Amino acid sequence: MLASSISDREGMGSFVDCEALTRMIYDGRDSTWSAMRSTVVPLYQPARLAGLIPVMQSYVDTLAANIAACPDQDCVPFCQLSLRMAIDIIGRTAFGIEFGLSKNAAGTGSSSSESPGGGEGEGDVREFLREYKRSMEFVKMDLTSSLSTILGLFLPCVQTPCKRLLRRVPGTADYKMDQNERRLCSRIDAIIAGRRRDRATRRRCGPGAAPAPAPLDFIAALLDAMESGGGGGGGAGANKDFALADRHVRALAYEHLIAGTKTTAFTLSSVVYLVSCHPLVEAKLLRELDGFAPRRGRGRAPDADELQSGFPYLDQVIKEAMRFYVVSPLIARQTSERVEIGGYVLPKGAYVWLAPGVLARDAAQFPDPEEFRPERFAPEAEEERARHPYAHIPFGVGPRACIGHKFALQQVKLAVVELYRRYVFRHSPSMESPIQFDFDLVLAFRHGVKLRAIRRG
């Protein structure tokens, strides 16, 4: 609400005040949060992300295989298949679990929360995914959400006390949300205990036996941090008195599950959908991708260095897709101290809603904002050089920016390279036009993206 009044008075081109907003509101002052974040930062260093490429690529290959196996090549449910891939990648890289959603996914018609791939613990995995799905359904930012969330949209200061009260009242949406989150967190606790047992098993390897390789999953890495000193990771903002506990590991794992699945799937679906609408963009993208590896045959996956610098036009396409459809319509912050922005004085503790989607359509920063034009992000483009750095913030900005953005972009790039090595895409006859969205905490295609998959000759 405050962000709206500021923009009404000053206009969205006034970015000097946004800098003040960033300094004051994005300032990570909470010591526990700062210590937790500094512990997590090393998990997203380039070397570790490079080590995750084979895992990600295996699920990307499965996504491509599921498209090939789809019984109706004129109506591929791309959003559903890409979401399965994203959840499977988080399952393996964050939890060390094989969710198995991508196995035999094409043509099943079942929801992503009801089709684990089988094997030991299938029932537990199924229940885990059902609770995850319900958690995502509760995350809404409209009048269909819980009463506390609705009140928070208009009176943020009453949201927390209202939620504390309503979650004790059976039958309310807040109560159901609380119960579901408790069940989901209990299952995450069980996973943490399992990872701890895995560590103990590795330690028991005899001196003559080759030790099992250390797992790459996020939880196991956090447990390593706990046992090696477990504090703030040595960063400048770390709290030396902070000790990472199981509840912190659970919170971080929960955040990855909620924040790292639908967002990645939506971004990949947006890229493919928008490229399929723009033949000139598609042709330029194909020339770049074909220059990396031969078009015929599977070829090899790009390595970390190639993903970083070998696909400049793909980078521009992804940035423009994320500008065109901003996955996080709103970013909420609370002022850490009194600050003046655009002539308005915000007291300490004021709630501020930022709208990155509004910034992304500002004609002063993005000429012809309704035009999908990846070249606007070319480093040599005058528009790119003149643009304010805070005009495009799909991952947020400042100390509280999305810490996993490189992890997400790595998935998207690997998927685009592999898919366009095999296919080009067109809109399915059953694809709605114009496309409709659900504006929840994460933007979503209301009826999915349905595509025709055309094999490249």
Side-chain angles (χ1 to χ4, degrees), residues 33-46 49 218 222 252 255-256 259-260 333 394-409:
W33 175 86
S34 299
M36 288 172 66
R37 186 177 179 95
S38 60
T39 300
V40 174
V41 164
L43 303 183
Y44 289 104
Q45 294 304 308
L49 289 176
F218 177 84
L222 285 176
L252 291 165
E255 180 183 8
H256 278 66
R333 291 292 184 264
F395 295 104
V397 66
R400 293 184 185 272
C402 175
I403 197 171
H405 74 277
K406 292 181 180 178
F407 175 90
L409 289 175

Side-chain angles (χ1 to χ4, degrees), residues 92-293:
R92 177 56 64 189
T93 60
F95 294 91
I97 288 178
E98 178 58 67
F99 286 153
L101 294 181
S102 299
K103 296 180 180 178
N104 303 314
T108 62
S110 60
S111 70
S112 63
S113 64
E114 297 173 349
S115 304
E120 185 177 357
E122 177 180 328
D124 288 340
V125 170
R126 182 182 291 111
E127 288 304 312
F128 182 92
L129 291 171
R130 282 177 178 166
E131 286 150 9
Y132 155 78
K133 181 185 179 185
R134 285 193 287 267
S135 291
M136 293 305 298
E137 290 171 348
F138 282 127
V139 180
K140 295 184 177 182
M141 296 293 289
D142 57 26
L143 298 182
T144 67
S145 188
S146 67
L147 179 58
S148 67
T149 301
I150 295 171
L151 290 174
L153 293 173
F154 301 98
L155 294 170
C157 60
V158 305
Q159 181 174 12
T160 298
C162 180
K163 183 175 183 178
R164 288 173 179 167
L165 174 64
L166 290 176
R167 69 186 182 187
R168 296 186 174 93
V169 181
T172 65
D174 289 277
Y175 177 85
K176 294 175 183 177
M177 183 190 308
D178 181 67
Q179 294 300 305
N180 187 77
E181 288 179 354
R182 288 176 184 272
R183 289 191 297 269
L184 185 55
C185 287
S186 293
R187 295 188 185 279
I188 294 174
D189 286 341
I191 293 170
I192 294 171
R195 298 280 74 75
R196 186 172 279 113
R197 288 193 297 270
D198 291 343
R199 283 179 57 81
T201 300
R202 293 205 312 272
R203 284 201 190 96
R204 287 198 295 268
C205 291
L216 285 173
D217 64 270
F218 177 84
I219 289 178
L222 285 176
L223 292 177
D224 287 343
M226 289 175 68
E227 296 188 12
S228 63
N239 182 351
K240 295 181 180 180
D241 298 326
F242 174 78
L244 193 67
D246 279 6
R247 68 181 184 275
H248 302 126
V249 177
R250 179 212 300 150
L252 291 165
Y254 184 93
E255 180 183 8
H256 278 66
L257 180 66
I258 299 300
T261 50
K262 288 186 73 174
T263 52
T264 303
F266 178 84
T267 300
L268 176 58
S269 298
S270 297
V271 169
V272 176
Y273 171 78
L274 288 165
V275 169
S276 69
C277 299
H278 298 85
L280 295 179
V281 172
E282 179 186 80
K284 189 172 180 179
L285 178 62
L286 290 176
R287 284 196 298 272
E288 178 174 271
L289 299 181
D290 289 347
F292 164 70

